[in-house]
Amino acid sequence: MQLLTLHLAALYFIVHISSASGGAHRPSRQVLTGNQPGVCRYGRRLECCYGWKKNSKGQCEAQCDHGCKHGECVGPNKCKCFPGHSGKTCNQDLNECGLKPRPCEHRCMNTYGSYKCYCLNGYTVMPDGSCANSRTCSAAHCQYGCEEVQEEIRCLCPSAGLQLGQDRRTCIDIDECVTGNNLCPYNRQCVNTFGSYFCKCRSGYDLKYVEGKYDCVDLDECASSTHKCSHHAVCANTRGSYKCSCKSGFRGNGFECSVIQDSQVKPGILGGTLDNDDIKNIITEPVATPAPNIHQQPFDYDGEVYIGPGTDQGQVDEIPEEEEEEEEKEEEENNQLNSRGDVFISEEFESVFGPATEVKEFHITPVQEEFIIDCNFDQGACEWVQDKADDMDWSVAYHNSAEYYMAMSGLLGESEDTAKLKLLLSDKAQQGSFCLTFDYRVVGRNVGTLRVLLGNSAYPVWEQSQSRDQGWQTELLTVAWKEEAPQSVVFEAQRGKEVGGEIGLDNVVLTSGPCQDDVSPFV
């Protein structure tokens, strides 16, 4: 018996030692204390549980990463919404009128964060939402029910954004956005609704969650490349908008910049893959036409010296005295023909001073202003219009996630259908001839034909139904005219017989003067 007791004691000691040594290496576990919310025991230490954070008062506070717009955070990413609101972050309006049981007996009108009850004609709304029979209200014919105050019947409107009309029975809307009775901040725009209003972010602002609340934050159009400044302009972000200013060597409003005539700045990148060697649009400085060397006054009346057309101004011939005497006699005879003393010279009379000097008029054509207009589809400064009289429209296609071009897909429409895209020419482009530069590609067999037409002509000045290796190619066309300037340049794509492929257009640029590589301008 004693031997059995000793064996049991030894076994207990071994088990106790092994459990104690194994517990020393076991990681501490999170144990809720139950005394304070969010407090857990880690071994002998008391710390905030996971998803809780100690505040300035030393208390554990729940953390909600997305915030609780109309509620309070009661646990890790868990919101308790205020009455009238719902959603994970309490940012949605709760439609109490759709709950069961309904809060109103007759009619219910949902409002943002709350609701209103109203009764049918002949009933009065009670504080609990029920409707009580009232003969006096029945006679009032109120639109949304009535109430009796000191034996006086008053019609009711279910919202503070409604008011009684002139008949004192129907309710009309109050436009809080016009009256100014709204609480929208400067970066939000008021939108009126029937019986209420709401605030939305103005143009140039974006709704974001910042510092525990939702707010409209300024959108940097320059950093996000959503601005419409010219490639030759600098974008400067402002609060709610942005400004464009042309770079040095260019002038314009920032959205359309042209080269300054006397500038030494050479055109650089034009918003595509074109190089300066491909465009070659440098125009030499204009030289004024010299005035013709014409003697406006061939006779010096004071010195009685004739300056002939074939002699230099430094050499003069004196008139002999005998010729002077004959000349005086002829003048006396001519003066006798007119009693008033006017000088009369016949058309057949040839002057003794030699043939009259012929004066010619020279019409000097005004010098055309130099310009480079970037008309690409991403951030160009030109106006593009889809023709409504064609069969289909050009669609947007993307090079990558940011840059895009215009295309006519071979999967849309039927054979022989056309899509016309008009480039409206500005007054500057209509002053004289210009070089039209663009990139194009025709992908697929028999996908169709791309043509270029002038707005005042029905005949194409250029067309192509295939591109080298079905890749992008650059074309330069000189556009000139004799009489009336075209109002637009039309890019027409006609679908072929095959299904598939596309016709693409991109990087359209207008440069003053003819193209240097093009010797046959289109008129």
Side-chain angles (χ1 to χ4, degrees):
M1 185 70 179
Q2 293 180 353
L3 182 60
L4 179 61
T5 303
L6 290 175
H7 281 291
L8 293 174
L11 179 62
Y12 174 79
F13 179 78
I14 293 173
V15 171
H16 179 73
I17 293 298
S18 62
S19 63
S21 61
H25 297 286
R26 183 181 303 166
S28 58
R29 295 183 299 169
Q30 171 180 300
V31 180
L32 294 173
T33 61
N35 297 330
Q36 296 181 359
V39 178
C40 293
R41 183 184 299 278
Y42 297 88
R44 297 182 179 180
R45 296 181 295 109
L46 294 177
E47 297 291 344
C48 293
C49 300
Y50 178 79
W52 298 71
K53 187 178 181 181
K54 187 176 294 185
N55 58 17
S56 59
K57 297 181 181 180
Q59 299 176 350
C60 293
E61 201 171 62
Q63 300 296 307
C64 294
D65 297 336
H66 299 287
C68 302
K69 188 174 183 180
H70 297 289
E72 58 181 354
C73 186
V74 296
N77 293 328
K78 184 178 180 180
C79 296
K80 181 180 179 182
C81 299
F82 298 142
H85 299 276
S86 63
K88 187 175 181 180
T89 59
C90 302
N91 62 339
Q92 301 176 4
D93 174 57
L94 176 63
N95 186 9
E96 296 87 352
C97 298
L99 299 177
K100 293 184 179 181
R102 295 185 60 191
C104 302
E105 182 179 358
H106 283 184
R107 293 180 179 177
C108 178
M109 181 178 183
N110 183 58
T111 60
Y112 190 79
S114 184
Y115 66 96
K116 290 287 184 179
C117 296
Y118 58 95
C119 301
L120 300 176
N121 289 337
Y123 293 86
T124 303
V125 63
M126 305 303 291
D128 60 351
S130 62
C131 297
N133 190 5
S134 175
R135 295 181 181 178
T136 52
C137 279
S138 176
H141 299 288
C142 296
Q143 182 182 9
Y144 294 109
C146 64
E147 64 179 355
E148 185 176 353
V149 180
Q150 297 179 356
E151 299 182 355
E152 181 182 355
I153 303 301
R154 296 179 182 177
C155 294
L156 299 177
C157 290
S159 172
L162 300 174
Q163 63 181 1
L164 290 174
Q166 296 181 355
D167 58 1
R168 310 304 299 172
R169 294 193 303 270
T170 58
C171 296
I172 59 176
D173 177 59
I174 300 175
D175 193 343
E176 295 87 354
C177 301
V178 175
T179 60
N181 296 330
N182 62 82
L183 302 178
C184 297
Y186 72 93
N187 55 356
R188 299 196 180 192
Q189 181 180 358
C190 176
V191 179
N192 185 60
T193 61
F194 183 76
S196 184
Y197 69 95
F198 67 93
C199 304
K200 72 173 184 179
C201 293
R202 293 184 179 273
S203 178
Y205 293 88
D206 191 16
L207 185 63
K208 294 184 179 180
Y209 185 75
V210 180
E211 297 180 356
K213 64 178 181 179
Y214 287 91
D215 195 8
C216 295
V217 181
D218 174 56
L219 179 63
D220 192 342
E221 295 86 354
C222 302
S224 60
S225 298
T226 57
H227 61 85
K228 296 183 179 180
C229 298
S230 171
H231 284 293
H232 307 297
V234 178
C235 177
N237 185 59
T238 61
R239 189 168 70 174
S241 185
Y242 62 95
K243 293 182 178 179
C244 303
S245 57
C246 295
K247 297 179 181 179
S248 177
F250 296 85
R251 62 183 176 186
N253 57 6
F255 299 95
E256 180 179 343
C257 298
S258 58
V259 179
I260 299 177
Q261 184 174 351
D262 296 331
S263 174
Q264 298 299 324
V265 179
K266 297 183 179 179
I269 298 176
L270 301 177
T273 59
L274 305 182
D275 297 327
N276 290 337
D277 295 336
D278 296 331
I279 297 178
K280 296 184 179 180
N281 51 15
I282 304 300
I283 300 177
T284 57
E285 293 293 332
V287 180
T289 304
N293 188 12
I294 299 174
H295 301 294
Q296 299 294 338
Q297 186 173 337
F299 190 83
D300 185 357
Y301 291 96
D302 294 332
E304 296 183 353
V305 177
Y306 167 69
I307 303 176
T311 59
D312 297 335
Q313 294 183 2
Q315 298 178 358
V316 297
D317 295 332
E318 295 184 359
I319 301 175
E321 294 181 0
E322 296 179 355
E323 293 185 2
E324 282 187 359
E325 294 178 358
E326 294 180 359
E327 183 180 337
E328 290 177 0
K329 292 180 180 180
E330 290 179 358
E331 287 181 0
E332 292 178 359
E333 294 177 357
N334 292 332
N335 290 337
Q336 294 177 358
L337 298 176
N338 195 330
S339 58
R340 294 174 51 191
D342 297 336
V343 177
F344 173 79
I345 300 177
S346 172
E347 295 181 357
E348 299 177 355
F349 178 77
E350 182 178 358
S351 173
V352 296
F353 306 113
T357 304
E358 182 181 1
V359 180
K360 297 183 180 179
E361 294 184 1
F362 290 85
H363 298 280
I364 302 176
T365 304
V367 179
Q368 181 184 2
E369 182 181 358
E370 295 183 6
F371 62 83
I372 299 177
I373 304 178
D374 188 357
C375 299
N376 77 79
F377 303 108
D378 290 309
Q379 302 170 1
C382 300
E383 184 176 358
W384 293 91
V385 177
Q386 296 269 18
D387 194 342
K388 297 181 180 179
D390 55 4
D391 303 314
M392 54 191 300
D393 287 341
W394 289 71
S395 58
V396 176
Y398 288 88
H399 291 291
N400 46 49
S401 58
E403 299 179 354
Y404 64 90
Y405 61 96
M406 300 301 291
M408 189 202 73
S409 174
L411 300 174
L412 303 177
E414 300 179 357
S415 178
E416 305 300 327
D417 283 354
T418 59
K420 296 181 180 180
L421 188 63
K422 290 185 178 181
L423 170 59
L424 303 184
L425 299 179
S426 61
D427 295 339
K428 185 181 300 182
Q430 295 179 0
Q431 291 180 358
S433 61
F434 59 86
C435 180
L436 173 64
T437 308
F438 60 93
D439 290 353
Y440 75 96
R441 71 172 181 177
V442 180
V443 181
R445 294 185 58 186
N446 299 325
V447 65
T449 304
L450 176 63
R451 301 184 181 95
V452 177
L453 304 91
L454 300 184
N456 55 1
S457 176
Y459 300 98
V461 298
W462 177 92
E463 70 175 59
Q464 188 63 260
S465 57
Q466 61 182 358
S467 56
R468 187 183 306 112
D469 298 329
Q470 298 187 358
W472 287 99
Q473 293 182 230
T474 302
E475 186 69 26
L476 285 78
L477 299 177
T478 297
V479 179
W481 53 90
K482 294 181 179 179
E483 297 178 356
E484 183 180 359
Q487 300 295 321
S488 62
V489 175
V490 182
F491 291 89
E492 178 185 273
Q494 185 175 22
R495 193 180 179 283
K497 298 180 180 179
E498 299 295 332
V499 178
E502 72 169 14
I503 298 176
L505 176 67
D506 197 10
N507 298 331
V508 181
V509 179
L510 306 181
T511 309
S512 58
C515 305
Q516 296 187 6
D517 287 348
D518 191 3
V519 296
S520 58
F522 295 99
V523 181

